[in-house]
Amino acid sequence: MASLTLSNRSLPSSSFPTTTLKNPKTPSSQILSILPKSSQSQFYGVKLSSSSSVSFPSTCSVKTSIFAKVSKGAVPPSFTLKDQDGKSVSLSKFKGKPVVVYFYPADETPGCTKQACAFRDSYEKFKKAGAQVVGISGDGPESHKAFAKKYRLPFTLLSDEGNKVRKEWGVPSDLFGTLPGRQTYVLDKNGVVQLIYNNQFQPEKHIDETLKLLQSL
């Protein structure tokens, strides 16, 4: 059987329509549409455009390695970041009450929108548990402001431009290290991490898991 070479690994030619792959100008959105659904799910948090390109390392491994610098029972590094209104917000502001800090890939992507709206829909339950919700991504304040306004998000969104805090906390990446990871931390009223939950492709599970823990504190 004929085969094509993708990053030094051979795949059956039947895996992709050859007419599409032979055309270097084929938009990535068309390439994505012909991938199996299991492969498409890997792009749940990616913004794609007609000029986007997707490259894969020679290992072609879909495993995610998690080397978290922040662990359960630890006090994570503090931070001061701009919120959607351009105001500086420090982690210490939330001390004295539980806080849910969730890192997400980007505003307006399907998975991130679903996750944000799920937090919104359960916001009263978080308030009842005495907890604050804080979302963090690398998008700027203006992007956060538009995102919060469009979906009526009642909680704080912080801009980690340059992903400095993400790196300090050790939030793992997904999709061969090209996609910022989706990870949620629950801190108790003393600022100690009680839960770390990572699930890139089932964003609504973050809400379920955090509420379970908060209701048990």
Side-chain angles (χ1 to χ4, degrees), residues 99-101 184-188 192-195 210 213-214 217:
V99 58
V100 177
V101 179
T184 296
Y185 300 81
V186 179
L187 282 61
D188 64 21
V192 177
V193 176
Q194 297 297 327
L195 173 73
T210 53
L213 177 67
L214 286 169
L217 292 178

Side-chain angles (χ1 to χ4, degrees), residues 24 41 46 67 75 84-86 113 120 122 125 127 144 150 177-178 185 199:
S41 68
V46 179
F67 299 101
V75 175
Q84 60 261 55
D85 296 316
T113 299
R120 177 200 65 196
S122 296
K125 293 180 181 178
K127 285 178 62 178
H144 280 340
K150 182 176 180 179
T178 63
Y185 300 81
N199 194 319

Side-chain angles (χ1 to χ4, degrees), residues 192-211:
V192 177
V193 176
Q194 297 297 327
L195 173 73
I196 299 175
Y197 186 76
N198 184 290
N199 194 319
Q200 180 68 268
F201 305 116
Q202 289 183 296
E204 71 282 359
K205 291 285 288 182
H206 289 256
I207 290 78
D208 297 337
E209 296 300 319
T210 53
L211 276 174

Side-chain angles (χ1 to χ4, degrees), residues 15 38 86 92 118 130-131 145-146 165 180 184 196 202 217:
S15 298
S38 60
S92 58
K145 188 170 185 176
V165 175
T184 296
I196 299 175
Q202 289 183 296
L217 292 178

Side-chain angles (χ1 to χ4, degrees), residues 99-110:
V99 58
V100 177
V101 179
Y102 80 95
F103 290 84
Y104 64 98
D107 296 336
E108 295 289 355
T109 59

